[in-house]
Amino acid sequence: MPNSSAVENSIEVVKAHMAAEDRRDIDATVATFTEHCYYEVPGLRIALRGKEEIRLWYQELFAAIPDFRNSEERYWQADGNVFFGAFMEGTHLGTWHGWAPTGRSFRSPMLVRIPIAADGLMEAEIVYNDSADVFMQLGVLPRQGSASERALQAAHRLRMRLGGRAEPDRA
């Protein structure tokens, strides 16, 4: 079991990481990761390996959402992991993960699990969030209950009645 100073140090490393994200300081953000690291957003099927892929992710994120920030941050430590709960916020002003800019702002809750490596740095950042919530706020997906959503549901029901199969996207 880690001693209390190791726990405090782990949380401080994660706080430094999140502060660097809020400043959109890519070098300081990536510096909090250990050498053999990874970054994942399971809901978006994002799986990055190594500091260079992670650096490119943050470059695209910060270019597309230049006011990206975390708010209402909370931290916990358990079993070699730091957990970070917060809201991610920003304005979508550039192409992000293939999506053209919408000019809209978003604020959505997330929970992040961060395994801590033997050297005290972050082994990984694994982000859990409701991506549909973000995309609805950005206007990429229709809002729940909207006329657009009802039209998509009607088209889907028609497709199913006509013998179409709902195939998962394997891209």
Side-chain angles (χ1 to χ4, degrees):
M1 173 141 89
N3 62 39
S4 63
S5 67
V7 169
E8 288 175 26
N9 288 342
S10 297
I11 290 175
E12 291 307 313
V13 166
V14 174
K15 284 182 177 181
H17 174 86
M18 297 306 168
E21 280 188 3
D22 289 346
R23 294 189 313 273
R24 290 155 308 279
D25 182 338
I26 295 169
D27 290 335
T29 301
V30 173
T32 59
F33 284 98
T34 195
E35 194 56 37
H36 300 287
C37 54
Y38 61 99
Y39 181 101
E40 295 180 354
V41 184
L44 293 175
R45 295 185 180 170
I46 294 169
L48 309 173
R49 298 294 180 257
K51 287 185 175 187
E52 192 52 37
E53 286 185 13
I54 294 169
R55 175 182 299 283
L56 292 172
W57 165 259
Y58 280 112
Q59 285 173 342
E60 181 181 338
L61 174 68
F62 297 156
I65 306 168
D67 60 346
F68 180 89
R69 65 199 165 278
N70 301 297
S71 68
E72 299 183 40
E73 302 169 11
R74 296 172 312 276
Y75 299 85
W76 306 269
Q77 193 280 337
D79 298 327
N81 293 278
V82 173
F83 294 89
F84 170 74
F87 286 89
M88 61 178 161
E89 304 175 350
T91 309
H92 185 208
L93 300 177
T95 300
W96 175 67
H97 203 58
W99 294 100
T102 64
R104 295 185 182 185
S105 295
F106 66 93
R107 181 176 193 269
S108 188
M110 67 177 164
L111 178 67
V112 182
R113 182 175 69 87
I114 300 168
I116 301 299
D119 62 5
L121 296 174
M122 294 171 43
E123 177 182 344
E125 183 172 359
I126 306 157
V127 180
Y128 300 95
N129 73 315
D130 181 352
S131 299
D133 176 53
V134 174
F135 289 130
M136 279 188 277
Q137 290 180 55
L138 295 179
V140 174
L141 291 176
R143 294 228 180 238
Q144 288 182 313
S146 68
S148 296
E149 183 193 41
R150 290 190 304 277
L152 284 174
Q153 289 173 343
H156 177 73
R157 285 190 302 274
L158 178 61
R159 180 175 167 227
M160 294 294 96
R161 274 195 308 243
L162 295 175
R165 285 187 24 194
E167 299 269 342
D169 182 13
R170 303 212 190 277

